[in-house]
Amino acid sequence: MATETEDAHDEGHHLPAVEDWPRGFGEASWWPFVTALGGAGIYIGAALYLMSVGERNIVGPMVGPGVLVGSIGLFLVGIYGWMYHAFVTHFWERGADEHSASKLRWGMIAFLGSEIATFSAGFTYFFFIRSQNAWAEVAADLPHLLGSLVIINTTLLIVSSVTLHFAHGAIRRNDRKKFLGWLAVTLLLGVVFIGGQVYEYYEFIVHEEFTLTSGLFGSAFYGLTGLHGLHVSMGAVLLTIVFVRALQGQYSADRHVSVTTASMYWHFVDAVWIFLVVALYVGAEVGA
Amino acid sequence: METSGQLLLTVLMGAFLLGVAAFLARVEDWRSYTPLGAGGGAVGESGYGHAEKPAGLIRWLTTVDHKDIGLLYGAYATIAFVVGGLMVMLMRAELTTPATDVLGSATFYNSLLTSHGITMLFLFGTPIIAAFSNYLIPLVIGADDMAFPRINAIAFWLLPPGALLIWAGFFPIPGVIPAQTAWTMYTPLSAGVGAGNQANVGVDLMLLGLHLTGVSATMGAINFIATIFTERAEEVTWANLDIFSWTILTQSGLILFAFPLLGSALVMLLLDRNFGTTFFAVEGGGPILWQHLFWFFGHPEVYILVLPPMGIVSYVLPRFSGRKLFGFKFVVYSTLAIGVLSFGVWAHHMFATGIDPRLRASFMAVSLAIAIPSAVKTFNWITTMWNGKLRLTTPMLFCIGFVSNFIIGGVTGVFLASIPVDLVLHDTYYVVGHFHYIVMGAITFAGMAGIYYWFPLVTGRWYQRRLAKAHFWLWMIGTNVTFFAMVLLGYGGMPRRYATYLPKFATLHQIASLGALLLLVGGIIWVYNIVTSWMEGKRVESGDPWRLDETNLNTAEWDWFEAKRETSLAATDGGEEVKTDGGQESRADDE
């Protein structure tokens, strides 16, 4: 049974949203509402788009994309305001005890747990078709998967995890110069990786005519690499935010939670990529 | 023919929405609600003070206070419960005759069937649990608020658009019809292939809405995990963490792995429907892949819905038995055991699909095994009451009703876990009866126990006891009449999901509809009781309204309540009636 809790409530009730808009209230913020509006608008935009395609013609063809773009904008505005008020403004005055750091780390750990489930569905599909007799037919018609590109790209991503670890180590020692340097290298490697993925898509779609609708393997390949690509891009955005804040002079040996959480995310995405290469690229070609 | 049913539902919904609108129009001052009977925000740290929240409607749109968000979840779940309940009343009306004489169309019946399931599980079940956990968890673990108050707010605000997308098929949009896939959304039907009408965009809208509510549930789960791990007060250790928090923690762990997987499966289905992928196409992953992915989510979902209500019962039932929960540790262990085992039972939904018999046997073993921790809990509730000083208050009645219904729902479930029995009863009303004993007889009963038990805590007022008892008895009898008739129908071989049936099933179907009518009457009494009591119920006179101190069973949330009462009484110098009446009225719509 839980014990008495009055003390925690009577003295120094911690107000969560002091800085937020509307200003001057401790427990009010427009940002979650605005962000939810944008987020939900993305789904509604997708719905409107689906209402316009094919023979449906229920709404005009530009309504869906319009709502979609507007909603993404609103979503980004919401996220910006939220992150700004919660983490960026008054960076050095905010409480940065072990407690608030540990709750953010737990949040990221739980989120990464949910990400495992997100990726699992697509992998299950691939293992399903890979273990069927019909795979022999699919294998006869695979695109050229194991080339130099995937090896280079994999190397880039693994190295980026190492450089990010160096950056993280540097800020723990309060070595700003090295922190910024390694962070920049990581970001560059990430961007090159994304470029490599785009190039691979281009090669497959334009030159090998292997697309999302090319059959059983097309669904698995584009489903999984697409989902992973989204995650790497998201990771690059997170690292960019960290980088910009670092350039503004934020972070120190005592204050670097977002460096930690962004790193956890980046390492996770890296691990997923290694699993993906082994399962999808190597697994499709070897023993086919 | 179909339009008459549509029209009926539209009229019902319209009347309901008009009622809501009329109520909102009467509300003048949204802000002066306080959880106590006195003085709006007299003291800054109360969480309801002038300094902390803006006035009017804006307060509810911008709030990041876990108690406010809990109330929003509660209001949302109640609306969804009313909508889902009206849907099933139309279905039960249809089923009073063997032919489609009432709604006039089996297609409309199928739409109602689909939406009833989705609404009750995703829009009522998960949110009503979130209402309790949001309001109470920070109070009982001694936290200031949730770990991430803003994420808490956004998780709620994603739900209303999700509901709109899910219900969009019923709105008068030309060219959009409601999904008729049943809540399991089995492919190839839900993939929209073939001659049926399920290629309609209404199915896509429902899938998008479901995905959105899944994102919301996952955010909530992350928040509860972080909260329970890091926000406990110093004196709240793992050893003395209360049982409700344990069940919410376990439930959040299940959500974390179940909902995102469903989310991915939904996106894959959307891609199949609209972009020519082969995830669930017959030549690709096939219908069996969908069933594996769906039930890998779907069976943990059952425990996502039932564990927190079990937590509520384990929390409330001892208070009125005059003794502590018997075998507390084992109730916690059984919760964790159910959490782990729940991911190993999914294929018992697929015994009749022709999957590998060796696979089938192992799923049978785990499914039978999960009955053990469930039985541990049941025996602990019974032994808690054994020789106890029972007080048959309304929350206690609902707890006992929960245990009783859970035994019937659980025992019918054990039979279904056995392959040979399942092959006979699969896809009959026996299954429907079994899981409604759990979702209505157990989960909803525990929810009602919670609502009555914490009603004084939230409103500072008493509900009307006679009405509450009438509600209980109508529901207890109604539940057993309706769902036991379904169990018998299943033994007779009545297949589920049909709008029509052979005349020999008519009597049992009419009995089931009669039971449903009792449930409807009980539900109306419940809504009336809650709304009127919130507005003008008798005020709570002490900080310990359930007199828990007498048996030494008081808990943290009532200490908080007492402390609040004292500070607000002191601040208004004992003069209670400052601006409370209008304030109380103004908040009644939220529950």
Side-chain angles (χ1 to χ4, degrees), chain A residues 142-161:
Chain A
L142 286 179
H144 183 54
L145 287 168
L146 286 174
S148 50
L149 181 65
V150 65
I151 296 168
I152 294 170
N153 244 354
T154 306
T155 316
L156 286 179
L157 205 59
I158 293 173
V159 171
S160 79
S161 251

Side-chain angles (χ1 to χ4, degrees), chain A residues 1-2 4 20 29 43 118, chain B residues 62 140 150 199 211 235 240 264:
Chain A
M1 298 290 113
E4 308 256 8
D20 289 48
S29 169
Y43 283 74
T118 303
Chain B
T62 61
V140 296
R150 295 183 193 80
H211 194 271
E235 65 274 17
N240 65 12
S264 286

